[in-house]
C-alpha cells in the first residue's frame, strides 16, 4: 500500500524543488529551489539555469570538513542542534526560516 513520506528526514543532505514556466520574450524564468541539509531546518534558495554565478556559500565546502562559510554546514549545524530538543528549538528556528524565506521571496520581484 501507499503511505505518506516526509521530505525532511534527519539524514537528508539536501532537497530540491524545480519550477518550469513558459518562455516570455525569449527568456526563461525556470528555477530550482535548493535547501541545504534537511528542509525542516533550512531555507529554500532559488537557482536559475540562465545565471552565470551563485553565492560562494553554495559553491564552497564539503561534508567531510566543517566550514562555516558553506551554506550546507550552516544549515547542518542548526539541524544537529535541533535534534537535542526539536519541539522547543523548532519554534525559534521556524521563525527565522520564515523571516529569511520572506526576504528571499521579496527579492524575487527584482529578478523576475
Amino acid at each position: 500500500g501507499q503511505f505518506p513520506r516526509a521530505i525532511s528526514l534527519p539524514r537528508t543532505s539536501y532537497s530540491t524543488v524545480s519550477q518550469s514556466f513558459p518562455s516570455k520574450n525569449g527568456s526563461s524564468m525556470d528555477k530550482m529551489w535548493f535547501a541545504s541539509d534537511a528542509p525542516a531546518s533550512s531555507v529554500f534558495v532559488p537557482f536559475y539555469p540562465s545565471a552565470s554565478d551563485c553565492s560562494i556559500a553554495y559553491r564552497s565546502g564539503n561534508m567531510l570538513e566543517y566550514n562555516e562559510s558553506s551554506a550546507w554546514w550552516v544549515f547542518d549545524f542548526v539541524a544537529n542542534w535541533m535534534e537535542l530538543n526539536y519541539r522547543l528549538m523548532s519554534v525559534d528556528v521556524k521563525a527565522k526560516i520564515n523571516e529569511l524565506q520572506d526576504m528571499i521571496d521579496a527579492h524575487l520581484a527584482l529578478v523576475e
Side-chain angles (χ1 to χ4, degrees), residues 9-102:
L9 302 171
R11 63 181 178 268
T12 304
S13 297
Y14 64 90
S15 182
T16 62
V17 176
S18 298
Q19 288 182 297
S20 182
F21 302 99
S23 181
K24 292 181 182 177
N25 303 328
S27 64
S28 173
M29 290 313 307
D30 296 343
K31 62 184 160 234
M32 178 191 74
W33 294 88
F34 179 83
S36 299
D37 204 66
S41 59
S42 187
V43 175
F44 279 87
V45 178
F47 286 85
Y48 297 89
S50 59
S52 60
D53 201 4
C54 68
S55 170
I56 188 72
Y58 289 91
R59 293 183 283 131
S60 63
N62 67 66
M63 297 167 93
L64 301 177
E65 183 179 336
Y66 179 76
N67 178 353
E68 66 185 22
S69 298
S70 166
W72 186 84
W73 273 108
V74 170
F75 290 112
D76 186 64
F77 185 85
V78 172
N80 286 335
W81 273 98
M82 284 181 71
E83 287 185 30
L84 294 175
N85 192 332
Y86 183 86
R87 185 177 58 80
L88 292 176
M89 290 183 184
S90 65
V91 174
D92 294 326
V93 171
K94 285 180 181 180
K96 188 62 173 180
I97 287 171
N98 287 336
E99 177 188 326
L100 293 171
Q101 198 69 63
D102 288 345

